[in-house]
Amino acid sequence: MSASHDEISRLEAAYRRAKFTIICHAIFLGTACFVGVIVRRAAGLPPIFLFTVLVVALVLFGGDIMKLFYCRNELKRLRGNLSS
């Protein structure tokens, strides 16, 4: 029983770290899009420029997004096993 509580507390800490990382990535992405809009208008670039910023961000941050989903799913599974 104690092992499951230790595992849950470890996963909760990992989930909080992953959530904080995703929030920081979202702030960075918002800033990058804002700067991208300004650069696109100033340089006369096509609208696909902003789409490229979004795709690159998803590729770069995909591992962190998957880590967040993994921790969330494992927490749900362990809490479900603990309650039943």
Side-chain angles (χ1 to χ4, degrees), residues 29-70:
L29 181 61
T31 305
C33 285
F34 179 72
V35 170
V37 166
I38 293 171
V39 168
R40 185 183 74 80
R41 287 184 182 170
L45 296 171
I48 195 75
F49 177 72
L50 294 177
F51 179 72
T52 305
V53 169
L54 289 173
V55 169
V56 167
L58 283 176
V59 169
L60 289 177
F61 305 148
D64 293 328
I65 294 168
M66 293 306 295
K67 188 184 300 183
L68 178 75
F69 289 151
Y70 173 77

Tab-separated table of all heavy atoms in Angstrom, residues 29-70:
chain	number	residue	atom	x	y	z
A	29	LEU	N	5.360	30.366	-26.840
A	29	LEU	CA	4.705	30.283	-28.149
A	29	LEU	C	3.872	31.533	-28.420
A	29	LEU	O	3.878	32.048	-29.538
A	29	LEU	CB	3.835	29.032	-28.222
A	29	LEU	CG	3.093	28.797	-29.536
A	29	LEU	CD1	4.084	28.646	-30.686
A	29	LEU	CD2	2.218	27.567	-29.425
A	30	GLY	N	3.165	32.018	-27.420
A	30	GLY	CA	2.392	33.256	-27.585
A	30	GLY	C	3.293	34.428	-27.938
A	30	GLY	O	2.968	35.227	-28.829
A	31	THR	N	4.416	34.522	-27.252
A	31	THR	CA	5.373	35.590	-27.548
A	31	THR	C	5.955	35.423	-28.947
A	31	THR	O	6.079	36.407	-29.693
A	31	THR	CB	6.510	35.577	-26.506
A	31	THR	OG1	5.937	35.664	-25.198
A	31	THR	CG2	7.470	36.719	-26.724
A	32	ALA	N	6.287	34.203	-29.322
A	32	ALA	CA	6.841	33.952	-30.655
A	32	ALA	C	5.826	34.297	-31.748
A	32	ALA	O	6.195	34.864	-32.777
A	32	ALA	CB	7.280	32.501	-30.788
A	33	CYS	N	4.563	33.973	-31.527
A	33	CYS	CA	3.534	34.308	-32.516
A	33	CYS	C	3.352	35.821	-32.616
A	33	CYS	O	3.176	36.361	-33.711
A	33	CYS	CB	2.210	33.638	-32.175
A	33	CYS	SG	2.192	31.879	-32.525
A	34	PHE	N	3.371	36.505	-31.473
A	34	PHE	CA	3.242	37.953	-31.477
A	34	PHE	C	4.390	38.596	-32.253
A	34	PHE	O	4.172	39.457	-33.114
A	34	PHE	CB	3.206	38.478	-30.043
A	34	PHE	CG	3.090	39.965	-29.950
A	34	PHE	CD1	1.901	40.599	-30.271
A	34	PHE	CD2	4.164	40.732	-29.541
A	34	PHE	CE1	1.795	41.972	-30.196
A	34	PHE	CE2	4.073	42.102	-29.463
A	34	PHE	CZ	2.881	42.737	-29.785
A	35	VAL	N	5.610	38.156	-31.971
A	35	VAL	CA	6.776	38.674	-32.702
A	35	VAL	C	6.685	38.271	-34.174
A	35	VAL	O	7.021	39.057	-35.067
A	35	VAL	CB	8.084	38.180	-32.049
A	35	VAL	CG1	9.291	38.496	-32.910
A	35	VAL	CG2	8.238	38.786	-30.665
A	36	GLY	N	6.211	37.060	-34.428
A	36	GLY	CA	6.070	36.596	-35.810
A	36	GLY	C	5.089	37.443	-36.605
A	36	GLY	O	5.318	37.709	-37.794
A	37	VAL	N	4.003	37.858	-35.982
A	37	VAL	CA	3.033	38.727	-36.666
A	37	VAL	C	3.685	40.048	-37.028
A	37	VAL	O	3.525	40.552	-38.149
A	37	VAL	CB	1.781	38.955	-35.773
A	37	VAL	CG1	0.934	40.093	-36.307
A	37	VAL	CG2	0.967	37.685	-35.683
A	38	ILE	N	4.429	40.611	-36.094
A	38	ILE	CA	5.099	41.893	-36.353
A	38	ILE	C	6.130	41.744	-37.468
A	38	ILE	O	6.181	42.554	-38.399
A	38	ILE	CB	5.743	42.431	-35.063
A	38	ILE	CG1	4.638	42.792	-34.063
A	38	ILE	CG2	6.626	43.628	-35.349
A	38	ILE	CD1	5.139	43.122	-32.682
A	39	VAL	N	6.948	40.681	-37.405
A	39	VAL	CA	7.973	40.459	-38.439
A	39	VAL	C	7.330	40.172	-39.788
A	39	VAL	O	7.781	40.681	-40.829
A	39	VAL	CB	8.911	39.295	-38.017
A	39	VAL	CG1	9.794	38.844	-39.158
A	39	VAL	CG2	9.744	39.705	-36.821
A	40	ARG	N	6.250	39.393	-39.775
A	40	ARG	CA	5.571	39.055	-41.041
A	40	ARG	C	5.029	40.309	-41.709
A	40	ARG	O	5.187	40.496	-42.916
A	40	ARG	CB	4.430	38.068	-40.780
A	40	ARG	CG	3.768	37.578	-42.053
A	40	ARG	CD	2.610	36.663	-41.759
A	40	ARG	NE	1.441	37.347	-41.258
A	40	ARG	CZ	0.561	37.994	-42.022
A	40	ARG	NH1	0.734	38.065	-43.313
A	40	ARG	NH2	-0.480	38.581	-41.485
A	41	ARG	N	4.403	41.182	-40.943
A	41	ARG	CA	3.856	42.416	-41.525
A	41	ARG	C	4.965	43.352	-41.986
A	41	ARG	O	4.848	43.978	-43.045
A	41	ARG	CB	2.962	43.118	-40.517
A	41	ARG	CG	1.657	42.409	-40.322
A	41	ARG	CD	0.756	43.160	-39.405
A	41	ARG	NE	-0.493	42.423	-39.205
A	41	ARG	CZ	-1.394	42.724	-38.322
A	41	ARG	NH1	-1.209	43.762	-37.520
A	41	ARG	NH2	-2.494	42.003	-38.202
A	42	ALA	N	6.034	43.460	-41.205
A	42	ALA	CA	7.128	44.373	-41.552
A	42	ALA	C	7.895	43.888	-42.780
A	42	ALA	O	8.309	44.687	-43.615
A	42	ALA	CB	8.074	44.526	-40.371
A	43	ALA	N	8.079	42.576	-42.895
A	43	ALA	CA	8.873	42.035	-43.998
A	43	ALA	C	8.017	41.629	-45.188
A	43	ALA	O	8.549	41.258	-46.228
A	43	ALA	CB	9.680	40.832	-43.518
A	44	GLY	N	6.695	41.663	-45.035
A	44	GLY	CA	5.816	41.282	-46.140
A	44	GLY	C	5.825	39.796	-46.436
A	44	GLY	O	5.659	39.383	-47.587
A	45	LEU	N	5.999	38.975	-45.398
A	45	LEU	CA	6.031	37.525	-45.577
A	45	LEU	C	4.614	36.980	-45.736
A	45	LEU	O	3.651	37.585	-45.267
A	45	LEU	CB	6.713	36.869	-44.378
A	45	LEU	CG	8.185	37.225	-44.180
A	45	LEU	CD1	8.676	36.689	-42.855
A	45	LEU	CD2	9.025	36.689	-45.313
A	46	PRO	N	4.470	35.823	-46.355
A	46	PRO	CA	3.132	35.231	-46.515
A	46	PRO	C	2.591	34.699	-45.183
A	46	PRO	O	3.357	34.447	-44.245
A	46	PRO	CB	3.374	34.081	-47.501
A	46	PRO	CG	4.810	33.753	-47.362
A	46	PRO	CD	5.509	35.027	-47.010
A	47	PRO	N	1.274	34.482	-45.094
A	47	PRO	CA	0.675	33.991	-43.846
A	47	PRO	C	1.167	32.605	-43.411
A	47	PRO	O	1.066	32.255	-42.242
A	47	PRO	CB	-0.816	33.933	-44.161
A	47	PRO	CG	-1.015	34.885	-45.280
A	47	PRO	CD	0.262	34.869	-46.067
A	48	ILE	N	1.715	31.829	-44.329
A	48	ILE	CA	2.212	30.496	-43.974
A	48	ILE	C	3.354	30.586	-42.956
A	48	ILE	O	3.645	29.618	-42.267
A	48	ILE	CB	2.640	29.723	-45.251
A	48	ILE	CG1	2.818	28.236	-44.970
A	48	ILE	CG2	3.931	30.270	-45.802
A	48	ILE	CD1	1.533	27.524	-44.813
A	49	PHE	N	3.958	31.743	-42.850
A	49	PHE	CA	5.036	31.956	-41.884
A	49	PHE	C	4.563	31.654	-40.465
A	49	PHE	O	5.262	30.987	-39.695
A	49	PHE	CB	5.548	33.403	-41.989
A	49	PHE	CG	6.606	33.755	-40.993
A	49	PHE	CD1	7.886	33.250	-41.116
A	49	PHE	CD2	6.318	34.585	-39.920
A	49	PHE	CE1	8.863	33.572	-40.196
A	49	PHE	CE2	7.281	34.902	-38.997
A	49	PHE	CZ	8.558	34.408	-39.138
A	50	LEU	N	3.372	32.108	-40.092
A	50	LEU	CA	2.855	31.863	-38.747
A	50	LEU	C	2.498	30.400	-38.550
A	50	LEU	O	2.672	29.847	-37.458
A	50	LEU	CB	1.644	32.749	-38.474
A	50	LEU	CG	1.951	34.239	-38.411
A	50	LEU	CD1	0.674	35.031	-38.205
A	50	LEU	CD2	2.941	34.540	-37.320
A	51	PHE	N	1.999	29.755	-39.580
A	51	PHE	CA	1.703	28.332	-39.497
A	51	PHE	C	2.986	27.545	-39.258
A	51	PHE	O	3.006	26.588	-38.481
A	51	PHE	CB	1.009	27.859	-40.772
A	51	PHE	CG	0.695	26.390	-40.771
A	51	PHE	CD1	-0.316	25.894	-39.970
A	51	PHE	CD2	1.419	25.505	-41.555
A	51	PHE	CE1	-0.599	24.533	-39.941
A	51	PHE	CE2	1.136	24.157	-41.538
A	51	PHE	CZ	0.124	23.669	-40.738
A	52	THR	N	4.061	27.971	-39.895
A	52	THR	CA	5.354	27.322	-39.709
A	52	THR	C	5.822	27.456	-38.257
A	52	THR	O	6.358	26.500	-37.684
A	52	THR	CB	6.401	27.931	-40.662
A	52	THR	OG1	5.914	27.843	-41.996
A	52	THR	CG2	7.733	27.233	-40.551
A	53	VAL	N	5.590	28.616	-37.665
A	53	VAL	CA	5.950	28.814	-36.252
A	53	VAL	C	5.188	27.821	-35.378
A	53	VAL	O	5.756	27.197	-34.476
A	53	VAL	CB	5.661	30.266	-35.821
A	53	VAL	CG1	5.768	30.424	-34.306
A	53	VAL	CG2	6.594	31.234	-36.519
A	54	LEU	N	3.907	27.618	-35.638
A	54	LEU	CA	3.100	26.689	-34.852
A	54	LEU	C	3.555	25.238	-35.022
A	54	LEU	O	3.641	24.476	-34.057
A	54	LEU	CB	1.627	26.819	-35.224
A	54	LEU	CG	0.946	28.105	-34.768
A	54	LEU	CD1	-0.460	28.178	-35.342
A	54	LEU	CD2	0.918	28.200	-33.271
A	55	VAL	N	3.858	24.849	-36.254
A	55	VAL	CA	4.289	23.476	-36.514
A	55	VAL	C	5.635	23.197	-35.856
A	55	VAL	O	5.824	22.148	-35.230
A	55	VAL	CB	4.341	23.199	-38.035
A	55	VAL	CG1	5.033	21.894	-38.339
A	55	VAL	CG2	2.938	23.213	-38.612
A	56	VAL	N	6.553	24.129	-35.963
A	56	VAL	CA	7.863	23.952	-35.338
A	56	VAL	C	7.712	23.839	-33.818
A	56	VAL	O	8.352	22.997	-33.184
A	56	VAL	CB	8.818	25.108	-35.722
A	56	VAL	CG1	10.063	25.117	-34.860
A	56	VAL	CG2	9.185	25.008	-37.190
A	57	ALA	N	6.836	24.654	-33.233
A	57	ALA	CA	6.619	24.589	-31.787
A	57	ALA	C	6.045	23.229	-31.387
A	57	ALA	O	6.463	22.652	-30.380
A	57	ALA	CB	5.683	25.706	-31.349
A	58	LEU	N	5.098	22.701	-32.142
A	58	LEU	CA	4.530	21.392	-31.819
A	58	LEU	C	5.573	20.286	-31.917
A	58	LEU	O	5.587	19.366	-31.103
A	58	LEU	CB	3.344	21.087	-32.730
A	58	LEU	CG	2.049	21.803	-32.378
A	58	LEU	CD1	0.983	21.489	-33.420
A	58	LEU	CD2	1.570	21.414	-31.002
A	59	VAL	N	6.439	20.385	-32.909
A	59	VAL	CA	7.494	19.378	-33.061
A	59	VAL	C	8.493	19.471	-31.900
A	59	VAL	O	8.869	18.465	-31.308
A	59	VAL	CB	8.208	19.536	-34.419
A	59	VAL	CG1	9.468	18.692	-34.477
A	59	VAL	CG2	7.270	19.169	-35.549
A	60	LEU	N	8.876	20.689	-31.545
A	60	LEU	CA	9.857	20.867	-30.469
A	60	LEU	C	9.292	20.513	-29.098
A	60	LEU	O	9.992	19.946	-28.261
A	60	LEU	CB	10.359	22.318	-30.451
A	60	LEU	CG	11.253	22.733	-31.602
A	60	LEU	CD1	11.606	24.205	-31.495
A	60	LEU	CD2	12.515	21.899	-31.635
A	61	PHE	N	8.027	20.857	-28.862
A	61	PHE	CA	7.435	20.657	-27.549
A	61	PHE	C	6.626	19.367	-27.464
A	61	PHE	O	6.001	19.091	-26.441
A	61	PHE	CB	6.539	21.834	-27.180
A	61	PHE	CG	7.234	23.175	-27.238
A	61	PHE	CD1	6.539	24.308	-27.592
A	61	PHE	CD2	8.571	23.303	-26.932
A	61	PHE	CE1	7.156	25.542	-27.642
A	61	PHE	CE2	9.206	24.528	-26.983
A	61	PHE	CZ	8.500	25.654	-27.337
A	62	GLY	N	6.620	18.554	-28.502
A	62	GLY	CA	5.827	17.324	-28.523
A	62	GLY	C	6.196	16.347	-27.424
A	62	GLY	O	5.321	15.712	-26.829
A	63	GLY	N	7.467	16.228	-27.126
A	63	GLY	CA	7.902	15.316	-26.070
A	63	GLY	C	7.366	15.740	-24.711
A	63	GLY	O	6.929	14.901	-23.912
A	64	ASP	N	7.383	17.032	-24.437
A	64	ASP	CA	6.863	17.532	-23.166
A	64	ASP	C	5.349	17.369	-23.081
A	64	ASP	O	4.813	17.071	-22.011
A	64	ASP	CB	7.230	19.004	-22.979
A	64	ASP	CG	8.723	19.200	-22.810
A	64	ASP	OD1	9.381	18.301	-22.248
A	64	ASP	OD2	9.241	20.241	-23.243
A	65	ILE	N	4.669	17.552	-24.185
A	65	ILE	CA	3.216	17.359	-24.214
A	65	ILE	C	2.886	15.895	-23.936
A	65	ILE	O	1.986	15.578	-23.145
A	65	ILE	CB	2.636	17.816	-25.564
A	65	ILE	CG1	2.795	19.325	-25.718
A	65	ILE	CG2	1.169	17.422	-25.694
A	65	ILE	CD1	2.514	19.847	-27.119
A	66	MET	N	3.618	14.987	-24.548
A	66	MET	CA	3.376	13.560	-24.323
A	66	MET	C	3.702	13.166	-22.876
A	66	MET	O	3.020	12.324	-22.294
A	66	MET	CB	4.190	12.716	-25.308
A	66	MET	CG	3.743	12.859	-26.743
A	66	MET	SD	1.982	12.544	-26.976
A	66	MET	CE	1.901	10.836	-26.546
A	67	LYS	N	4.737	13.773	-22.291
A	67	LYS	CA	5.078	13.497	-20.900
A	67	LYS	C	3.935	13.927	-19.980
A	67	LYS	O	3.588	13.221	-19.024
A	67	LYS	CB	6.350	14.243	-20.518
A	67	LYS	CG	6.896	13.871	-19.165
A	67	LYS	CD	8.108	14.699	-18.795
A	67	LYS	CE	9.220	14.507	-19.784
A	67	LYS	NZ	10.434	15.250	-19.420
A	68	LEU	N	3.321	15.068	-20.267
A	68	LEU	CA	2.183	15.536	-19.478
A	68	LEU	C	1.021	14.555	-19.571
A	68	LEU	O	0.425	14.177	-18.554
A	68	LEU	CB	1.739	16.919	-19.951
A	68	LEU	CG	0.516	17.504	-19.245
A	68	LEU	CD1	0.894	17.993	-17.862
A	68	LEU	CD2	-0.084	18.612	-20.069
A	69	PHE	N	0.695	14.115	-20.787
A	69	PHE	CA	-0.403	13.167	-20.966
A	69	PHE	C	-0.099	11.827	-20.293
A	69	PHE	O	-0.980	11.215	-19.698
A	69	PHE	CB	-0.707	12.943	-22.445
A	69	PHE	CG	-1.355	14.127	-23.110
A	69	PHE	CD1	-1.154	14.350	-24.455
A	69	PHE	CD2	-2.164	14.996	-22.410
A	69	PHE	CE1	-1.759	15.422	-25.086
A	69	PHE	CE2	-2.768	16.070	-23.027
A	69	PHE	CZ	-2.564	16.293	-24.367
A	70	TYR	N	1.136	11.369	-20.381
A	70	TYR	CA	1.514	10.103	-19.747
A	70	TYR	C	1.341	10.180	-18.232
A	70	TYR	O	0.763	9.285	-17.618
A	70	TYR	CB	2.965	9.744	-20.099
A	70	TYR	CG	3.465	8.550	-19.343
A	70	TYR	CD1	3.095	7.269	-19.715
A	70	TYR	CD2	4.300	8.693	-18.232
A	70	TYR	CE1	3.537	6.163	-19.006
A	70	TYR	CE2	4.740	7.602	-17.518
A	70	TYR	CZ	4.356	6.334	-17.914
A	70	TYR	OH	4.788	5.251	-17.202
